Amino acid sequence: MSFFGRSAAPQPSQPQNDAQRKEAVMASIRQEVQGANAKELMENLTEKCYSKCVPKPGTSMSSSEETCVSRCMDLYFQAFNIVAKTYTTRLHKERVAMKEAEASSF
């Protein structure tokens, strides 16, 4: 219904606008999820590495504690990147398989 109380005729571009709005919402959601994942990654990294490398927190860290934290963070990021890449590849393969299955059913 239009602003003046009459039914508006469907616009040919409306589905595209709906699709654009849907994509914008999905992009926003993806961004929010990425931010939450990054926050969780940093929280986990901090908790794991500091608990492993700094057994007795003080006013400063020793050089061995700094080295341990640095290595731990490097390994944590490497592992995270491997998992993220594997997960992304898997999702891509599943999407391709779904599209192929949909295409073959027509």
Side-chain angles (χ1 to χ4, degrees):
M1 186 170 262
S2 75
F3 180 74
F4 296 105
R6 286 186 263 155
S7 254
Q11 301 291 326
S13 63
Q14 190 170 353
Q16 185 179 11
N17 288 337
D18 288 344
Q20 289 171 342
R21 277 189 234 132
K22 180 180 176 183
E23 184 57 38
V25 169
M26 293 297 288
S28 176
I29 291 170
R30 279 192 293 272
Q31 216 171 17
E32 297 251 347
V33 168
Q34 288 172 349
N37 287 342
K39 181 181 176 189
E40 183 179 358
L41 172 67
M42 291 308 296
E43 288 171 355
N44 287 337
L45 180 139
T46 301
E47 179 184 331
K48 304 285 185 207
C49 292
Y50 278 93
S51 66
K52 176 185 175 198
C53 298
V54 187
K56 297 179 184 174
T59 57
S60 64
M61 291 173 47
S62 70
S63 63
S64 63
E65 289 172 335
E66 287 180 10
T67 301
C68 179
V69 168
S70 178
R71 287 182 183 160
C72 179
M73 290 173 67
D74 288 343
L75 290 172
Y76 204 90
F77 279 122
Q78 287 175 5
F80 178 81
N81 287 334
I82 290 168
V83 170
K85 183 178 178 181
T86 303
Y87 181 70
T88 302
T89 301
R90 180 178 149 212
L91 283 178
H92 178 72
K93 287 179 181 178
E94 288 177 1
R95 286 182 184 150
V96 168
M98 285 177 60
K99 285 182 181 180
E100 288 175 354
E102 286 175 2
S104 67
S105 68
F106 288 114

